[in-house]
């Protein structure tokens, strides 16, 4: 039996995260994933950036960006530290 698309390369975006096929395959398994909010002051964006900034693991491996860094870049952050700062700023503006 094949693994779901969200676990395979065909369901992952080259710039980090899942593509539409990956989100559809996750939804078929009962997950409720929403498309990313990559700009603006949306609270989901702040939450994502804060969560990802706290993840363990390197930003680069063998000189290449990891999927963690690719996702951060896609959501508008250049590093874990930048993601943490942006999450804090977005949250402050939303109060």
């Amino acid at each position: 039996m094949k693994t779901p698309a969200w676990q395979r390369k065909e369901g992952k975006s080259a710039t980090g995260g899942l593509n539409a096929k990956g989100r559809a395959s996750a939804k078929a398994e009962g997950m409720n994933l929403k498309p990313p909010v990559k700009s603006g002051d949306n609270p989901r964006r702040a939450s994502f950036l804060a969560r990802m900034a706290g993840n363990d693991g390197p930003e680069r491996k063998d000189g290449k960006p990891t999927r963690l860094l690719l996702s951060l870049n896609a959501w508008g952050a250049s590093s874990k530290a930048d993601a943490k700062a942006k999450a804090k700023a977005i949250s402050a503006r939303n109060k």
Side-chain angles (χ1 to χ4, degrees):
M1 185 171 157
K2 261 185 157 179
T3 58
W6 67 271
Q7 293 179 337
R8 296 191 315 268
K9 188 173 183 175
E10 68 187 61
K12 296 179 181 179
S13 169
T15 57
L18 297 177
N19 58 24
K21 184 173 186 173
R23 282 193 304 275
S25 103
K27 185 173 184 173
E29 291 195 349
M31 297 178 204
N32 183 22
L33 300 180
K34 298 176 183 175
V37 180
K38 296 182 178 182
S39 63
D41 285 348
N42 191 302
R44 279 185 54 227
R45 180 173 179 234
S47 175
F48 175 84
L49 290 172
R51 243 184 5 260
M52 293 300 277
N55 277 355
D56 290 335
E59 293 178 10
R60 295 186 178 279
K61 184 175 181 181
D62 300 327
K64 296 180 181 177
T66 60
R67 291 194 59 79
L68 170 67
L69 185 57
L70 290 172
S71 291
L72 287 174
N73 288 340
W75 284 66
S78 59
S79 66
K80 288 183 188 180
D82 185 38
K84 188 175 184 178
K86 285 185 186 229
K88 189 174 182 179
I90 291 169
S91 293
R93 286 193 297 267
N94 283 328
K95 286 187 178 183

